[in-house]
PDB file of all heavy atoms in Angstrom:
ATOM      1  N   GLN A 217     -17.802  23.328 -12.380  1.00 96.00           N
ATOM      2  CA  GLN A 217     -18.315  22.855 -13.675  1.00 96.00           C
ATOM      3  C   GLN A 217     -17.291  21.861 -14.346  1.00 96.00           C
ATOM      4  O   GLN A 217     -17.678  21.231 -15.309  1.00 96.00           O
ATOM      5  CB  GLN A 217     -18.639  23.999 -14.648  1.00 96.00           C
ATOM      6  CG  GLN A 217     -17.491  24.857 -15.077  1.00 96.00           C
ATOM      7  CD  GLN A 217     -17.201  26.025 -14.147  1.00 96.00           C
ATOM      8  OE1 GLN A 217     -17.571  25.981 -12.960  1.00 96.00           O
ATOM      9  NE2 GLN A 217     -16.593  27.070 -14.698  1.00 96.00           N
ATOM     10  N   ASN A 218     -16.080  21.810 -13.852  1.00 97.00           N
ATOM     11  CA  ASN A 218     -15.065  20.899 -14.460  1.00 97.00           C
ATOM     12  C   ASN A 218     -14.982  19.633 -13.746  1.00 97.00           C
ATOM     13  O   ASN A 218     -14.046  18.834 -13.912  1.00 97.00           O
ATOM     14  CB  ASN A 218     -13.732  21.605 -14.430  1.00 97.00           C
ATOM     15  CG  ASN A 218     -13.610  22.736 -15.447  1.00 97.00           C
ATOM     16  OD1 ASN A 218     -14.427  22.791 -16.337  1.00 97.00           O
ATOM     17  ND2 ASN A 218     -12.729  23.670 -15.255  1.00 97.00           N
ATOM     18  N   LEU A 219     -15.886  19.282 -12.760  1.00 98.00           N
ATOM     19  CA  LEU A 219     -15.848  18.109 -12.021  1.00 98.00           C
ATOM     20  C   LEU A 219     -16.835  17.027 -12.572  1.00 98.00           C
ATOM     21  O   LEU A 219     -17.952  17.353 -12.746  1.00 98.00           O
ATOM     22  CB  LEU A 219     -16.149  18.395 -10.562  1.00 98.00           C
ATOM     23  CG  LEU A 219     -15.220  19.291  -9.812  1.00 98.00           C
ATOM     24  CD1 LEU A 219     -15.716  19.591  -8.438  1.00 98.00           C
ATOM     25  CD2 LEU A 219     -13.806  18.776  -9.808  1.00 98.00           C
ATOM     26  N   VAL A 220     -16.326  15.868 -12.892  1.00 98.00           N
ATOM     27  CA  VAL A 220     -17.158  14.853 -13.507  1.00 98.00           C
ATOM     28  C   VAL A 220     -17.411  13.726 -12.433  1.00 98.00           C
ATOM     29  O   VAL A 220     -16.499  13.241 -11.851  1.00 98.00           O
ATOM     30  CB  VAL A 220     -16.430  14.152 -14.696  1.00 98.00           C
ATOM     31  CG1 VAL A 220     -17.238  13.053 -15.271  1.00 98.00           C
ATOM     32  CG2 VAL A 220     -16.097  15.188 -15.759  1.00 98.00           C
ATOM     33  N   ALA A 221     -18.719  13.469 -12.180  1.00 98.00           N
ATOM     34  CA  ALA A 221     -19.065  12.497 -11.172  1.00 98.00           C
ATOM     35  C   ALA A 221     -18.859  11.066 -11.684  1.00 98.00           C
ATOM     36  O   ALA A 221     -19.316  10.836 -12.841  1.00 98.00           O
ATOM     37  CB  ALA A 221     -20.534  12.679 -10.731  1.00 98.00           C
ATOM     38  N   VAL A 222     -18.230  10.224 -10.979  1.00 98.00           N
ATOM     39  CA  VAL A 222     -17.955   8.821 -11.384  1.00 98.00           C
ATOM     40  C   VAL A 222     -18.399   7.886 -10.289  1.00 98.00           C
ATOM     41  O   VAL A 222     -18.033   8.018  -9.102  1.00 98.00           O
ATOM     42  CB  VAL A 222     -16.436   8.698 -11.661  1.00 98.00           C
ATOM     43  CG1 VAL A 222     -16.126   7.205 -12.008  1.00 98.00           C
ATOM     44  CG2 VAL A 222     -15.981   9.606 -12.812  1.00 98.00           C
ATOM     45  N   ASP A 223     -19.197   6.834 -10.670  1.00 97.00           N
ATOM     46  CA  ASP A 223     -19.589   5.838  -9.703  1.00 97.00           C
ATOM     47  C   ASP A 223     -18.386   4.968  -9.450  1.00 97.00           C
ATOM     48  O   ASP A 223     -17.772   4.495 -10.355  1.00 97.00           O
ATOM     49  CB  ASP A 223     -20.789   5.020 -10.281  1.00 97.00           C
ATOM     50  CG  ASP A 223     -22.151   5.797 -10.189  1.00 97.00           C
ATOM     51  OD1 ASP A 223     -22.269   6.702  -9.362  1.00 97.00           O
ATOM     52  OD2 ASP A 223     -22.998   5.399 -10.954  1.00 97.00           O
ATOM     53  N   HIS A 224     -18.243   4.588  -8.109  1.00 95.00           N
ATOM     54  CA  HIS A 224     -17.236   3.633  -7.681  1.00 95.00           C
ATOM     55  C   HIS A 224     -17.957   2.433  -7.166  1.00 95.00           C
ATOM     56  O   HIS A 224     -18.624   2.558  -6.060  1.00 95.00           O
ATOM     57  CB  HIS A 224     -16.293   4.247  -6.673  1.00 95.00           C
ATOM     58  CG  HIS A 224     -15.332   5.237  -7.229  1.00 95.00           C
ATOM     59  ND1 HIS A 224     -14.647   6.170  -6.438  1.00 95.00           N
ATOM     60  CD2 HIS A 224     -14.908   5.436  -8.471  1.00 95.00           C
ATOM     61  CE1 HIS A 224     -13.896   6.921  -7.200  1.00 95.00           C
ATOM     62  NE2 HIS A 224     -14.021   6.529  -8.451  1.00 95.00           N
ATOM     63  N   VAL A 225     -17.947   1.361  -7.814  1.00 92.00           N
ATOM     64  CA  VAL A 225     -18.743   0.172  -7.355  1.00 92.00           C
ATOM     65  C   VAL A 225     -17.853  -0.845  -6.692  1.00 92.00           C
ATOM     66  O   VAL A 225     -16.928  -1.386  -7.327  1.00 92.00           O
ATOM     67  CB  VAL A 225     -19.483  -0.483  -8.585  1.00 92.00           C
ATOM     68  CG1 VAL A 225     -20.381  -1.598  -8.123  1.00 92.00           C
ATOM     69  CG2 VAL A 225     -20.323   0.569  -9.340  1.00 92.00           C
ATOM     70  N   ARG A 226     -18.041  -0.979  -5.383  1.00 87.00           N
ATOM     71  CA  ARG A 226     -17.337  -2.015  -4.651  1.00 87.00           C
ATOM     72  C   ARG A 226     -18.231  -3.242  -4.431  1.00 87.00           C
ATOM     73  O   ARG A 226     -19.361  -3.276  -4.853  1.00 87.00           O
ATOM     74  CB  ARG A 226     -16.935  -1.447  -3.300  1.00 87.00           C
ATOM     75  CG  ARG A 226     -16.071  -0.164  -3.372  1.00 87.00           C
ATOM     76  CD  ARG A 226     -15.663   0.189  -1.996  1.00 87.00           C
ATOM     77  NE  ARG A 226     -14.896   1.437  -1.926  1.00 87.00           N
ATOM     78  CZ  ARG A 226     -14.324   1.935  -0.841  1.00 87.00           C
ATOM     79  NH1 ARG A 226     -14.478   1.317   0.327  1.00 87.00           N
ATOM     80  NH2 ARG A 226     -13.631   3.051  -0.861  1.00 87.00           N
ATOM     81  N   LYS A 227     -17.621  -4.226  -3.808  1.00 84.00           N
ATOM     82  CA  LYS A 227     -18.374  -5.480  -3.507  1.00 84.00           C
ATOM     83  C   LYS A 227     -19.568  -5.232  -2.638  1.00 84.00           C
ATOM     84  O   LYS A 227     -20.655  -5.782  -2.973  1.00 84.00           O
ATOM     85  CB  LYS A 227     -17.403  -6.469  -2.860  1.00 84.00           C
ATOM     86  CG  LYS A 227     -17.995  -7.819  -2.550  1.00 84.00           C
ATOM     87  CD  LYS A 227     -17.003  -8.747  -1.866  1.00 84.00           C
ATOM     88  CE  LYS A 227     -17.595 -10.090  -1.511  1.00 84.00           C
ATOM     89  NZ  LYS A 227     -16.596 -10.992  -0.840  1.00 84.00           N
ATOM     90  N   ASN A 228     -19.430  -4.458  -1.631  1.00 85.00           N
ATOM     91  CA  ASN A 228     -20.526  -4.219  -0.641  1.00 85.00           C
ATOM     92  C   ASN A 228     -20.915  -2.751  -0.463  1.00 85.00           C
ATOM     93  O   ASN A 228     -21.673  -2.440   0.473  1.00 85.00           O
ATOM     94  CB  ASN A 228     -20.146  -4.789   0.692  1.00 85.00           C
ATOM     95  CG  ASN A 228     -19.930  -6.299   0.621  1.00 85.00           C
ATOM     96  OD1 ASN A 228     -20.765  -7.045   0.143  1.00 85.00           O
ATOM     97  ND2 ASN A 228     -18.808  -6.715   1.178  1.00 85.00           N
ATOM     98  N   TYR A 229     -20.479  -1.893  -1.438  1.00 90.00           N
ATOM     99  CA  TYR A 229     -20.766  -0.460  -1.244  1.00 90.00           C
ATOM    100  C   TYR A 229     -20.610   0.217  -2.609  1.00 90.00           C
ATOM    101  O   TYR A 229     -19.661  -0.070  -3.309  1.00 90.00           O
ATOM    102  CB  TYR A 229     -19.843   0.148  -0.202  1.00 90.00           C
ATOM    103  CG  TYR A 229     -20.243   1.595   0.154  1.00 90.00           C
ATOM    104  CD1 TYR A 229     -21.240   1.838   1.117  1.00 90.00           C
ATOM    105  CD2 TYR A 229     -19.629   2.673  -0.449  1.00 90.00           C
ATOM    106  CE1 TYR A 229     -21.592   3.118   1.465  1.00 90.00           C
ATOM    107  CE2 TYR A 229     -19.938   4.007  -0.091  1.00 90.00           C
ATOM    108  CZ  TYR A 229     -20.970   4.127   0.885  1.00 90.00           C
ATOM    109  OH  TYR A 229     -21.309   5.488   1.254  1.00 90.00           O
ATOM    110  N   GLU A 230     -21.524   1.141  -2.861  1.00 94.00           N
ATOM    111  CA  GLU A 230     -21.352   1.959  -4.110  1.00 94.00           C
ATOM    112  C   GLU A 230     -21.222   3.432  -3.739  1.00 94.00           C
ATOM    113  O   GLU A 230     -22.140   3.935  -3.067  1.00 94.00           O
ATOM    114  CB  GLU A 230     -22.558   1.771  -5.027  1.00 94.00           C
ATOM    115  CG  GLU A 230     -22.451   2.488  -6.358  1.00 94.00           C
ATOM    116  CD  GLU A 230     -23.566   2.207  -7.303  1.00 94.00           C
ATOM    117  OE1 GLU A 230     -24.049   1.093  -7.275  1.00 94.00           O
ATOM    118  OE2 GLU A 230     -23.964   3.108  -8.069  1.00 94.00           O
ATOM    119  N   GLY A 231     -20.134   4.013  -4.110  1.00 95.00           N
ATOM    120  CA  GLY A 231     -19.910   5.414  -3.857  1.00 95.00           C
ATOM    121  C   GLY A 231     -19.742   6.216  -5.116  1.00 95.00           C
ATOM    122  O   GLY A 231     -20.040   5.764  -6.202  1.00 95.00           O
TER     123      GLY A 231
END
Side-chain angles (χ1 to χ4, degrees):
Q217 65 269 24
N218 289 340
L219 300 177
V220 180
V222 176
D223 283 337
H224 288 161
V225 184
R226 302 184 181 185
K227 181 179 179 181
N228 297 311
Y229 188 83
E230 183 174 327

